[in-house]
Amino acid sequence: MKYEIDEPYTTDCFETLVNVPSPVGYYVQINPVVERLAAELGKTVTYDHKHTAYITLDGEDNSKTVMIGAHLDTIGMIVRRIDDNGYIRVRQLGGMNFYSAEGETVTVHTRGGRSYTGLLACQSHSTHVFDDARTSSRDELTMILALDEPVKTRDDVLALGIRHGDVISIEPRFQKTPNGYIKSRFIDDKAAAACCFSMIKYLNAHNLKPKYRTLLAFPHYEEIGHGGAYIPAEVSEFVAVDIGLIGPDYDGNERKVSICAKDFATPYDYDLVNRLIRQAEQAECDYAVDIFYRYGTDANASWKAGNNLQAAAFGMACYCSHGMERTHITGLSNTVNLLLAYVLDL
């Protein structure tokens, strides 16, 4: 049975989440938004010591606990150095693609609570000025952050309260086309988080409970590999909802939900993957099963950390991962359908 998903809510929820900056480890702005979205659905949020947000759904049978994870952290940067001329040099947080981010508006978030926008550029930034403007590499050694402030020296920047270690977010540039395409940075993985809220909305509207006690987890360190390292002891299986990939080796596309059979390091639990395939078919999802290269999830991290559980992953496929990404609302709806099939028919 295919579930009728509230697509406008799903898209609006994603837009809300994606417009809140949350580079790796920077949870201070996004966690309150999660609390507000949960409260609107009649749910409360709890936290662990890593500031992972949890929403607990009571099950028809609470003797078993399962967990669904959708990470809130995005790729971003951190202040590495302030040059004498006032330019800021950066380190990446997660797998930055500087070629994609060149020319983008970014924001420095100081530990004192102030924010300053700037332009991320290559130091050879203009073809009118630099012979190697087209050929220079774009990496941590060549990229500069030019603040949108009248700074000319390192001391000018320090006077703004900017210091080494300040987090830098990237403008998401959310767009939705009339025919349902969604273009934005950080579809990975805020679209998955939106799908989790859409699932809760459906359960509420139809007065349904998951078959088992279900934890929804929203961690902040997936992009650097340890978001799912801690799993509450009562959890016996963990499904990470994360993007699928599109490319020559893959059957997934923007309108499908992709079930990951293997990531860069490990195949996922054979029985659980088989169950997800069965549930996708029962929910009449347009789905693909793929293996992903140069890709990992919090489900992988949960196993590497030694947690004793079954693990799997699925989610909407998107173009241009870790760049200006694109998916389709149909892919999000298929993902919500599989989430519902999973929690209702374990």
Side-chain angles (χ1 to χ4, degrees), residues 61-80:
D61 176 0
N62 287 332
S63 66
K64 176 178 177 177
T65 299
V66 303
M67 191 164 92
I68 295 167
H71 67 90
L72 291 173
D73 60 309
T74 69
I75 57 173
M77 294 164 288
I78 195 166
V79 175
R80 166 181 128 230

Side-chain angles (χ1 to χ4, degrees), residues 32 38 40 43 49 92 107 111-112 128 140 142 155 161 175 182 190 195 202-203 212 223 235 241 257 268 297 343:
E40 290 170 357
K43 306 300 179 184
H49 294 303
Q92 61 183 330
T107 302
R111 293 183 185 270
H128 293 110
E140 290 180 348
T142 62
D155 286 342
Q175 301 174 59
I182 297 170
K190 290 185 175 178
C195 287
Y202 184 95
L203 293 173
Y212 297 113
E223 295 291 358
V235 173
V241 188
V257 57
Y268 288 123
T297 72
V343 299

